């Protein structure tokens, strides 16, 4: 679990870094594009919003795919399109910075060449000054000294200019390759970290789901047990009545046929001590067997044979 937590932190930080870098480059690109129509802020806001959607959508597309594959495919297509646009924006923004550095590098080379020329000029003036002093040409030596002072000042100025100019010959030489590599890497790493973060979240939630499953099964089993007990209790309460009715039915039938009991609630109560409910059950059974027929508003009598 600790490894998963650390991996999630790493993926989150990497995804956040890529998102910030991509959003910033998109912001630069869209701002410059918006200047052409006089709305740099609106263009920049739209660009950053779409860039964030592109960055975060891979974290939930796999989940949506489990519910609706069509919607997930549509979102994936939008995400790929936004990645292409974001990559183009990154290339454009990085190229602009690289061109500025390349220009600075060319300027640095020019300054370096000027310094070499000034150094050579200064050396020549120093040699000339020594010759003039040795030949007692004082006036000319004075003029040469003035030139030496001027060239020295110019040389110092060139050194100062060189300090303020960036020098990156590697970027100047491989600028297109480096720009493409950085832009594509941002998109690939962002996508990889988003998918990895989704997978880690799925792994992290799996134990919790597995823990809940036994609890759900236990609740279901408990409910089934209560239902079975209720059914058994109901059956136990019904079976004695059915068994009782079956055992007494033959005796009641014989008594009615012999005239020892009347086919009525009161007659069966007197002869057998049966309750009204049990008497009704038995009389209905005899009626269904064809032994009795309805008589006198809800009562029964022996069925009269048809001649």
């Amino acid at each position: 679990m600790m490894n998963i937590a650390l991996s999630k932190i790493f993926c989150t930080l990497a995804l956040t870094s890529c998102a910030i870098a991509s959003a910033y480059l998109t912001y630069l690109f869209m701002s410059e594009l918006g200047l052409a129509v006089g709305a740099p802020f609106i263009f920049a806001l739209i660009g950053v919003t779409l860039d964030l959607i592109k960055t975060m959508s891979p974290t939930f597309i796999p989940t949506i795919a489990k519910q609706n594959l069509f919607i997930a495919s549509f979102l994936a297509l939008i995400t790929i399109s936004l990645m292409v646009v974001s990559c183009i924006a990154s290339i454009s923004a990085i190229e602009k910075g690289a061109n500025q550095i390349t220009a600075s590098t060319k300027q640095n080379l020019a300054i370096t060449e000027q310094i070499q020329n000034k150094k050579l000029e200064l050396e020549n003036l120093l040699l000339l000054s020594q010759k003039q002093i040795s030949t007692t040409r004082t006036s000319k030596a004075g003029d040469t000294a003035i030139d030496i002072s001027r060239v020295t000042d110019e040389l110092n100025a060139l050194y100062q200019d060189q300090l303020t100019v960036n020098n990156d010959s590697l970027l100047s030489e491989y600028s297109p390759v480096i720009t493409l590599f950085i832009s594509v890497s941002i998109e690939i790493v962002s996508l990889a970290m988003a998918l990895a973060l989704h997978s880690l979240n799925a792994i992290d939630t799996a134990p919790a789901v597995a823990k809940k499953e036994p609890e759900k099964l236990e609740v279901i089993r408990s409910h089934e047990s209560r239902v079975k007990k209720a059914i058994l209790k109901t059956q136990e309460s019904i079976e004695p009545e059915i068994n009782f009715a079956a055992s007494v039915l033959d005796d009641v039938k014989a008594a009615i046929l012999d005239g020892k009991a009347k086919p009525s609630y009161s007659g069966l109560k007197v002869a057998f001590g049966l309750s009204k409910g049990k008497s009704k059950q038995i009389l209905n059974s005899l009626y269904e067997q064809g032994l009795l027929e309805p008589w006198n508003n809800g009562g029964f009598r022996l069925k009269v044979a048809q001649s």
Side-chain angles (χ1 to χ4, degrees), residues 59-269:
T59 61
F60 55 78
I61 286 178
T63 303
I64 296 177
K66 297 178 181 178
Q67 306 296 328
N68 193 315
L69 186 59
F70 174 76
I71 295 177
S73 300
F74 181 68
L75 289 175
L77 181 61
I78 292 176
T79 301
I80 293 173
S81 301
L82 291 176
M83 288 178 66
V84 173
V85 174
S86 177
C87 189
I88 294 173
S90 298
I91 291 173
S92 176
I94 295 174
E95 273 187 346
K96 185 176 180 181
N99 289 336
Q100 292 176 354
I101 295 175
T102 301
S104 297
T105 301
K106 292 179 180 179
Q107 184 180 358
N108 183 278
L109 293 174
I111 292 174
T112 301
E113 185 177 356
Q114 292 178 26
I115 289 174
Q116 296 298 329
N117 293 333
K118 289 297 178 182
K119 282 182 177 181
L120 182 59
E121 183 180 356
L122 182 59
E123 290 176 359
N124 292 332
L125 287 172
L126 289 173
L127 291 174
L128 178 60
S129 176
Q130 290 176 0
K131 289 180 180 180
Q132 289 173 343
I133 293 173
S134 64
T135 59
T136 65
R137 296 179 181 178
T138 307
S139 59
K140 291 184 178 181
D143 294 336
T144 304
I146 294 173
D147 291 337
I148 291 173
S149 178
R150 175 182 56 80
V151 173
T152 302
D153 292 339
E154 292 176 354
L155 186 60
N156 290 332
L158 289 172
Y159 279 130
Q160 190 64 34
D161 291 341
Q162 190 179 44
L163 292 175
T164 61
V165 176
N166 294 324
N167 182 17
D168 193 345
S169 58
L170 181 64
L171 181 60
S172 176
E173 185 176 356
Y174 299 102
S175 176
V177 177
I178 294 174
T179 299
L180 181 62
F181 176 78
I182 293 174
S183 301
V184 174
S185 295
I186 290 174
E187 303 303 326
I188 293 176
V189 173
S190 176
L191 177 62
M193 292 300 101
L195 294 176
L197 193 59
H198 170 78
S199 300
L200 290 172
N201 287 331
I203 294 173
D204 202 17
T205 55
V209 174
K211 185 177 180 181
K212 290 181 180 179
E213 288 299 327
E215 295 178 358
K216 291 181 180 179
L217 291 174
E218 186 64 26
V219 171
I220 294 173
R221 289 171 182 171
S222 177
H223 178 70
E224 291 178 348
S225 178
R226 288 197 297 270
V227 171
K228 289 180 180 180
K229 289 180 179 179
I231 293 174
L232 289 174
K233 187 174 181 181
T234 303
Q235 290 177 346
E236 289 174 356
S237 62
I238 294 175
E239 285 178 357
E241 294 183 1
I242 295 175
N243 294 334
F244 173 81
S247 62
V248 176
L249 183 62
D250 293 338
D251 295 339
V252 172
K253 181 177 180 181
I256 291 174
L257 290 174
D258 293 341
K260 295 181 180 180
K262 295 181 179 180
S264 63
Y265 302 139
S266 57
L268 295 183
K269 183 177 182 180

Side-chain angles (χ1 to χ4, degrees), residues 19-20 22-23 46-58 82:
I20 293 174
S22 180
I46 293 174
V48 171
T49 301
L50 293 177
D51 197 84
L52 292 177
I53 292 174
K54 174 266 302 181
T55 301
M56 297 306 300
S57 59
L82 291 176

Side-chain angles (χ1 to χ4, degrees), residues 3-24:
N3 291 335
I4 293 178
L6 292 176
S7 298
K8 288 175 66 176
I9 292 174
F10 171 78
C11 291
T12 302
L13 291 176
L15 181 61
T16 303
S17 300
C18 290
I20 293 174
S22 180
Y24 178 69

